[in-house]
Amino acid sequence: MLGVPFPPASGTYEVRAGLVPLALAGPDDHGPVRFVTDARASEYLARKLDLLEHHADAVRLRVPARSRADDDALATILRDALGWLAAEHPERCVVDGDAIALPPFGVLLRGDTVERVAPPAPGLGPLARNAQTWLARQRGIDLLADALALSVMEDFAVVRAPDDDDDPAGDVLELMHICFPSHWAPAEKLGGNFAAVHAPVANNGVIIGAHRQLVRAMVRKGPLLRYAWSIARDPRLDLNPRLHHLAEPPAAAYTDPDAAARATWYRVERQTTNPFPALGRSLFTIRTWVVPMTEVGEDPARARQLASAIRSMRDDEADYKGIGKLRAPLVAWLEGRGPAGQGA
């Protein structure tokens, strides 16, 4: 669990915005950075490339531009995000005026031109060559979006605020590059506003009630940081129901604590909102971790905190998370870890 955020440490499950200034993020939050990278970066890259090559229209989506200004705004946001990456991880990206170098892939982007200028980073081999080939086929916003997506472990989206407080259209989820959704299909969220996107969430009254205030904060304040966690029944990062059939756990998992632990995974998202007030937009990033429940159980304190948080869920919240019938055996297993229980 080293390096994996653990918001269940509070011992309580809550549905709330929970936004805090990114500038205040400490070591446990990976510091005040938008992009978190680690030793699994090539694994995330491989999966993103595979999804783009076979399902690009399911992971990279945008609403039709209303004018050239929309294209210009998105290009500015994506270029700025690549600039943040260059500042935080110069080994992954270098920005020099209009030129964007991506050293892991050995390429230089200038406008719609993708030039191979250096050998790829050691160890990437075929992955880097596949990334070079893919990027060379893209143009415009698609090229910038894919260049960012393949250079970071995060997913991201752009939210466009209403033109004014009386705008009946409201805010819009304008662009999405989501490879690793948790049991939802990005195509079903595109073009929706904040309330529509979060409508399926159980016990969502607080965040839906604060809809306009939250969007205003995302666009005008920050950068801001929050976390979201859940219990997954599938170890894959990408749980898009349009792309995968999510299998049911074995029958034993509903009664046997050990089987419940083997059939579940701790899943957490580190999310940032990054304001572009002059453009009336915000860039939302999502870094996802998936950890076997058996690994969580290796830390007795964490196991008991997670047990308490799962126990605190309302029934509709547990059902929404897909663990309603797994809750009792899973809590029993977690509470049995370490010296305070009977587990190893």
Side-chain angles (χ1 to χ4, degrees):
M1 289 286 289
L2 184 64
V4 179
F6 198 74
S10 66
T12 303
Y13 179 79
E14 298 177 278
V15 180
R16 60 189 182 92
L19 294 165
V20 299
L22 181 63
L24 301 181
D28 290 344
D29 297 316
H30 294 278
V33 297
R34 279 96 165 183
F35 303 113
V36 176
T37 189
D38 59 36
R40 295 181 63 192
S42 60
E43 174 189 338
Y44 283 55
L45 168 62
R47 188 60 191 138
K48 285 187 176 189
L49 266 173
D50 183 68
L51 286 164
L52 282 170
E53 289 169 349
H54 296 95
H55 305 288
D57 58 349
V59 300
R60 190 222 303 129
L61 312 100
R62 64 170 297 194
V63 298
R66 299 169 300 178
S67 68
R68 176 68 187 182
D70 283 347
D71 286 337
D72 291 344
L74 291 176
T76 296
I77 290 169
L78 293 169
R79 284 184 175 277
D80 279 8
L82 285 161
W84 302 335
L85 176 63
E88 294 174 2
H89 302 286
E91 77 283 1
R92 306 192 70 80
C93 182
V94 177
V95 177
D96 182 8
D98 292 336
I100 301 169
L102 304 178
F105 311 137
V107 298
L108 181 72
L109 280 59
R110 198 187 303 271
D112 282 340
T113 301
V114 178
E115 181 182 357
R116 301 185 185 190
V117 295
L124 282 185
L127 273 180
R129 289 190 290 274
N130 289 346
Q132 292 171 349
T133 300
W134 177 262
L135 291 172
R137 296 173 182 166
Q138 311 310 312
R139 297 291 183 271
I141 300 300
D142 290 347
L143 174 57
L144 288 172
D146 287 354
L148 178 61
L150 295 178
S151 299
V152 301
M153 299 177 76
E154 283 76 7
D155 285 334
F156 55 87
V158 174
V159 176
R160 187 179 74 220
D163 289 335
D164 57 62
D165 287 341
D166 297 322
D167 182 358
D171 51 285
V172 174
L173 189 53
E174 184 178 31
L175 177 145
M176 308 175 74
H177 206 300
I178 307 292
C179 290
F180 306 139
S182 179
H183 297 97
W184 55 276
E188 296 173 4
K189 306 294 185 181
L190 184 71
N193 65 18
F194 183 93
V197 168
H198 292 87
V201 177
N203 191 21
N204 62 8
V206 173
I207 57 174
I208 297 299
H211 169 182
R212 286 189 176 272
Q213 298 96 308
L214 287 170
V215 172
R216 192 175 296 115
M218 291 169 64
V219 171
R220 300 179 185 176
K221 299 179 181 180
L224 303 171
L225 170 69
R226 75 180 297 267
Y227 292 100
W229 66 271
S230 63
I231 304 302
R233 299 180 301 174
D234 192 302
R236 288 174 291 194
L237 284 162
D238 52 311
L239 297 180
N240 187 334
R242 290 194 174 187
L243 302 182
H244 302 298
H245 171 69
L246 305 179
E248 283 292 314
Y254 296 105
T255 56
D256 175 25
D258 288 333
R262 291 193 298 271
T264 52
W265 287 260
Y266 167 69
R267 185 180 178 106
V268 63
E269 296 176 355
R270 181 186 189 267
Q271 305 171 353
T272 74
T273 68
N274 302 274
F276 288 83
L279 301 176
R281 289 166 167 85
S282 178
L283 178 69
F284 183 71
T285 73
I286 311 167
R287 169 63 201 277
T288 302
W289 289 262
V290 181
V291 178
M293 192 61 62
T294 51
E295 186 174 330
V296 178
E298 294 172 1
D299 185 326
R302 289 284 190 246
R304 290 193 291 274
Q305 289 162 348
L306 183 57
S308 175
I310 294 173
R311 188 184 289 280
S312 75
M313 287 179 173
R314 298 180 357 174
D315 289 344
D316 60 336
E317 292 170 338
D319 290 340
Y320 169 72
K321 293 295 186 181
I323 61 164
K325 295 179 181 180
L326 289 169
R327 178 156 54 160
L330 183 56
V331 167
W333 185 86
L334 288 165
E335 290 180 339
R337 299 304 92 197
Q342 301 301 314

